[in-house]
Amino acid sequence: MLGARLAISACVLLAAPAPLSVRAIPAPAQTAAGPAASCVLPRPPDTLWALAQCCESSLTSDVGCRVHDQKNGYVVIKDNSARKPRSYMIIPTSRVTGIEDGLVDRPPVVDFWQYGWAQSRTWPGYSAADTGMAINSEQGRTQNQLHIHISCVRPDVKKALDQAAIGFFPARPVTLRLPPHDNLYRALKVTRLDGEQSPFLVFQSDPKVKETMGEQSIAVVGSGIAGQYYVLDTQSGDGNRGQAEELLEQTCQSWAK
């Protein structure tokens, strides 16, 4: 996640968009033109909420802004952590606190996994089989604005998933322990990431999960087969902070574009 450094560094005034910001972005995402605006960022837990509003206003308002999709209500920003050079986040432009918020069951947020996956073709731009996304639990985050991390998957996680016999939703989830901390995950496959197969809804088909959404942490990992995705869920507690972000390799150093 973005740390306190983001709040301290605040915003950089730009004479023109940062190099990454002017790359071609699929419609309906927009790039901004004109002079840079001023963006004042508070400390966590409200840093991302302020940044989302800045990027919604102007993609030149902060060096981290990449995409604004007005129709579907989200922005994509670059994670500024030095430990995450190939990591991005999709964030709603309306107030949604996190995975525990009831708005994750409704459009447009319920479909953010699909939107995030589409944006991952550019940000960070690695193959589908090497791409992963994750949202942390309420306990496992430092920001109170929903954000899904977009980056690469850890090679050892990818290997474990490819070797497991994982069925398609609505099959019973397979349980397995995954690197790097041997935490227990429930795993299924889906053929799309929106609508009834949105990972937000897939795991809520279990009433126990639905009642404890704030404790859940969800990840999506691409497979080697087009149109098939692994979806995973873990629950915080017993030493597990509920940070499915752990399944990502946010340097992407193991993968080639």
Side-chain angles (χ1 to χ4, degrees), residues 2-83:
L2 294 172
R5 184 176 68 80
L6 182 56
I8 296 171
S9 63
C11 177
V12 178
L13 297 181
L14 303 176
L20 287 174
S21 298
V22 298
R23 291 171 62 180
I25 299 172
Q30 300 175 1
T31 55
S38 175
C39 182
V40 178
L41 300 177
R43 292 180 179 273
D46 294 318
T47 315
L48 286 186
W49 170 231
L51 182 54
Q53 291 178 297
C54 286
C55 294
E56 178 186 22
S57 175
S58 171
L59 288 178
T60 63
S61 67
D62 186 271
V63 67
C65 302
R66 292 294 185 272
V67 174
H68 173 217
D69 188 323
Q70 182 176 8
K71 178 182 177 181
N72 295 307
Y74 69 81
V75 293
V76 174
I77 70 167
K78 175 72 182 67
D79 193 315
N80 77 344
S81 170
R83 297 181 294 106

Side-chain angles (χ1 to χ4, degrees), residues 38-187:
S38 175
C39 182
V40 178
L41 300 177
R43 292 180 179 273
D46 294 318
T47 315
L48 286 186
W49 170 231
L51 182 54
Q53 291 178 297
C54 286
C55 294
E56 178 186 22
S57 175
S58 171
L59 288 178
T60 63
S61 67
D62 186 271
V63 67
C65 302
R66 292 294 185 272
V67 174
H68 173 217
D69 188 323
Q70 182 176 8
K71 178 182 177 181
N72 295 307
Y74 69 81
V75 293
V76 174
I77 70 167
K78 175 72 182 67
D79 193 315
N80 77 344
S81 170
R83 297 181 294 106
K84 306 174 184 180
R86 297 292 182 268
S87 184
Y88 299 83
M89 290 175 279
I90 181 171
I91 307 172
T93 53
S94 58
R95 193 57 155 152
V96 186
T97 58
I99 194 170
E100 76 285 355
D101 196 311
L103 292 175
V104 303
D105 297 345
R106 310 173 198 167
V109 183
V110 71
D111 296 329
F112 267 30
W113 296 98
Q114 187 68 51
Y115 302 149
W117 191 266
Q119 292 295 340
S120 76
R121 303 302 82 222
T122 302
W123 320 103
Y126 289 78
S127 73
D130 302 335
T131 299
M133 302 191 296
I135 185 171
N136 294 327
S137 70
E138 189 172 8
Q139 178 185 356
R141 68 174 193 249
T142 60
Q143 296 285 336
N144 285 339
Q145 177 66 2
L146 182 142
H147 54 289
I148 298 175
H149 299 269
I150 307 171
S151 192
C152 295
V153 63
R154 290 174 56 100
D156 48 5
V157 170
K158 177 179 177 180
K159 181 178 179 180
L161 294 175
D162 288 343
Q163 291 179 345
I166 299 173
F168 285 89
F169 177 75
R172 184 181 182 86
V174 171
T175 58
L176 64 163
R177 295 192 177 275
L178 292 174
H181 301 301
D182 205 34
N183 287 322
L184 189 66
Y185 282 83
R186 293 173 287 271

